[in-house]
Amino acid sequence: MSYQILIFFHIIGITILGGALIFGQLHQFRARRSHDISFIAETYRTLYLTIVPFAPLGGITILLTGIGLIILGSYQIKGWLLALIILFGFEVIEGITHYLRHAKRLMNLSSEARKKGIITQELLNLINNRLGNFLLYLDIPNFLVIACLAIFKPF
């Protein structure tokens, strides 16, 4: 019975984290296409205030229930499970070390730009930051690979 409860909460965590990632991607796309600074500032504010509580909540839920599932299921950590753990660890570390700071900076710079009434060069440089964009666009494929590893257990 406890195994099914852990699976239920694991799926809830996956849904929360996946929803936060997709929400973040869609809002980033919307902000990039707009030239209205008020819209951009509001989009980045909404993005930051939504990602900050939900992404860590989903990640922590997945981590705790995943540990429980590994222990209760007596899985050996090798093959697909090792790859899944490494990818999930990368996702969490990247989110904590880079994305949260990047999103907060975007929110602050867009708010300052809204007060000035123009899109500032500093905000434009941050929006077009190659490392930030690469890591942002890597989130969804990484999440899908993790999900495929968990579902299909290929090796």
Side-chain angles (χ1 to χ4, degrees), residues 71-83:
I71 292 169
L72 285 177
S74 300
Y75 289 110
Q76 293 182 4
I77 301 178
K78 60 181 183 178
W80 67 271
L81 187 56
L82 180 62

Side-chain angles (χ1 to χ4, degrees), residues 16 18 36 41 53-54 60 75 78-79 85 94 103 109-110 115 117-118 121 125-126 139 151:
I16 291 170
D36 178 19
F54 288 113
I60 290 169
Y75 289 110
K78 60 181 183 178
I85 291 169
E94 177 265 329
L109 287 176
S110 62
K115 290 175 187 172
I118 60 166
Q121 188 61 41
N125 290 342
L126 190 59
D139 282 347
I151 292 168

Side-chain angles (χ1 to χ4, degrees), residues 67-117:
I67 291 170
L69 289 169
I70 290 170
I71 292 169
L72 285 177
S74 300
Y75 289 110
Q76 293 182 4
I77 301 178
K78 60 181 183 178
W80 67 271
L81 187 56
L82 180 62
L84 188 144
I85 291 169
I86 290 169
L87 286 172
F88 183 73
F90 169 77
E91 187 75 31
V92 169
I93 291 168
E94 177 265 329
I96 292 169
T97 59
H98 180 265
Y99 189 73
L100 290 178
R101 287 186 296 149
H102 183 74
K104 185 172 185 168
R105 221 164 141 227
L106 278 169
M107 181 184 72
N108 291 338
L109 287 176
S110 62
S111 178
E112 290 173 14
R114 181 194 306 191
K115 290 175 187 172
K116 293 179 182 176

